[in-house]
Amino acid sequence: AFHVAVDVPESVEAGTYDLDVEVRYSYRSFQGGEPIGSSANERTRTITETVEVEVKDEARFDIVEARTDAQVGDSGTLEAVIENTGSEPAIDAEAAGDLRFSGAQTSTTRISRLEPGARATVTYDVAVEPDSAVRQYSLGGRVEFEDPEGITRVDEAISLGVTPQAEQTFRIESGETTLRVGEDGDLRGTVTNE
């Protein structure tokens, strides 16, 4: 037995398709008196077979929206809206997000059932490392779920970009002071959250 990877475009309808497979192999046949390794008896053969490939109806997923209130150098939440773009419901789906904000962390959220065409919002706790750029980061994910027959499936091809908020900054304006060298005193000013 051998395994061959096949890419199926999203536009392909579910069903059974015939796929022509060409197999080419070499072999050696030995007869009494010929030395081992002789190429005189090496042969190459090519055969073509038709195999059936089944494209199944099943759930598939897209992240249609992602947003976060997390600021650079702080933590917050990230909400992602996942849509079942397939033709079957997903049952007991676990949506695992690979959240890359200048460092990797993975988090998982559970969805009990997601019908075809339906959307669910999943929420993750995220932290953005200090000095990260305010730019779009990749939100990659995978959804592991059961189909209606109870078979576990995985969709690993979902991703979307998300941008963290700018780092929190403050401005301090000094006011009056009663400070003197070697003594206690007061310093009054205004702190502005920018």
Side-chain angles (χ1 to χ4, degrees), residues 13 20 24 32 51 67 101 130 137 157 179 191:
E13 295 290 324
D20 290 333
R24 184 177 186 175
V51 296
R67 59 189 171 274
F101 292 103
Y137 290 87
L179 292 178
V191 177

Side-chain angles (χ1 to χ4, degrees), residues 28-178:
R28 290 186 180 151
S29 63
F30 297 100
Q31 296 175 357
E34 291 191 29
I36 294 178
S38 168
S39 62
N41 293 320
E42 184 172 297
R43 294 187 171 91
T44 299
R45 186 169 182 204
T46 302
I47 58 172
T48 301
E49 294 286 336
T50 300
V51 296
E52 282 188 351
V53 175
E54 183 181 0
V55 177
K56 296 183 177 183
D57 280 326
E58 62 182 35
R60 287 186 284 206
F61 303 91
D62 279 334
I63 301 174
V64 294
E65 183 182 348
R67 59 189 171 274
T68 183
D69 62 0
Q71 295 176 309
V72 171
D74 202 356
S75 59
T77 58
L78 181 141
E79 289 184 346
V81 179
I82 297 177
E83 180 178 357
N84 180 352
T85 59
S87 55
E88 286 196 342
I91 302 161
D92 292 332
E94 289 187 357
D98 181 10
L99 315 174
R100 298 183 190 107
F101 292 103
S102 291
Q105 67 186 78
T106 301
S107 185
T108 303
T109 300
R110 189 169 194 81
I111 304 166
S112 60
R113 186 176 180 95
L114 194 59
E115 296 293 334
R119 293 179 174 185
T121 301
V122 292
T123 304
Y124 302 104
D125 293 325
V126 295
V128 185
E129 292 185 13
D131 302 321
S132 296
V134 178
R135 64 171 176 83
Q136 195 169 71
Y137 290 87
S138 173
L139 167 63
R142 66 190 297 271
V143 179
E144 183 173 316
F145 62 97
E146 287 185 8
D147 67 14
E149 288 79 38
I151 297 170
T152 300
R153 307 253 184 227
V154 178
D155 185 351
E156 299 188 75
I158 58 175
S159 67
L160 190 73
V162 66
T163 304
Q165 305 293 317
E167 189 169 11
Q168 189 77 37
T169 59
F170 298 93
R171 184 181 70 233
I172 300 174
E173 296 173 0
S174 64
E176 354 176 322
T177 180
T178 59

